[in-house]
Amino acid sequence: MPEMQTYRGGCHCGRVRYQVAATLDPVLSCNCSICQKRGYLLTFVPRAQFKLLSGEDALTDYQFNKKVVHHLFCANCGISSFGTGTGPDQSEMVSINVRCLDDVDLDALTVTSFDGKSL
Ligand SMILES: [Zn+2]
């Protein structure tokens, strides 16, 4: 098992900042309608492992389809650095856009394709 590490991340302009404990192996590349357009690389963590440090007032919510996931983005710079939703067992989960984490070598990650389009 890869070790869990604490990362910091956020949007482009810096208003939205967060801290998250996560393992980045693997990360998911999803082909659903929004992931494909936004180019996310995703990992998912329980809500308790995520802490929003700043930018709550800048977060704008976008929802579509079944409206179970909050596709949050910064109202100032438009970057979607994380989202929130519930897992299959109704627990609160946070989706992290790994591209928005500080100091992560994206080329070193194992990316797994996820067929979100078929869900
Ligand atoms: Zn921003």
Side-chain angles (χ1 to χ4, degrees):
M1 276 291 284
E3 250 179 90
M4 191 172 308
Q5 282 188 49
T6 300
Y7 297 92
R8 288 198 173 205
C11 69
H12 189 265
C13 72
R15 288 193 192 180
V16 177
R17 293 291 297 165
Y18 58 77
Q19 180 174 307
V20 63
T23 54
L24 300 184
D25 185 21
V27 297
L28 298 178
S29 170
C30 174
N31 65 359
C32 83
S33 60
I34 191 161
C35 289
Q36 175 162 324
K37 284 183 189 267
R38 282 185 166 171
Y40 290 134
L41 287 177
L42 293 173
T43 191
F44 296 88
V45 300
R47 181 69 183 81
Q49 285 170 223
F50 177 87
K51 189 171 172 224
L52 188 64
L53 302 173
S54 68
E56 184 146 29
D57 55 337
L59 287 172
T60 305
D61 196 2
Y62 173 63
Q63 292 193 287
F64 68 102
N65 199 1
K66 293 174 200 159
K67 304 200 173 169
V68 288
V69 181
H70 298 274
H71 302 275
L72 303 169
F73 64 94
C74 172
N76 187 49
C77 69
I79 297 297
S80 183
S81 55
F82 74 100
T84 60
T86 48
D89 60 355
Q90 299 306 309
S91 61
E92 283 189 75
M93 299 292 290
V94 180
S95 61
I96 301 296
N97 185 356
V98 176
R99 291 186 185 277
C100 292
L101 297 179
D102 299 343
D103 305 322
V104 170
D105 180 2
L106 296 173
D107 292 334
L109 300 174
T110 304
V111 177
T112 302
S113 294
F114 180 74
D115 188 15
K117 194 154 80 175
S118 300
L119 285 183

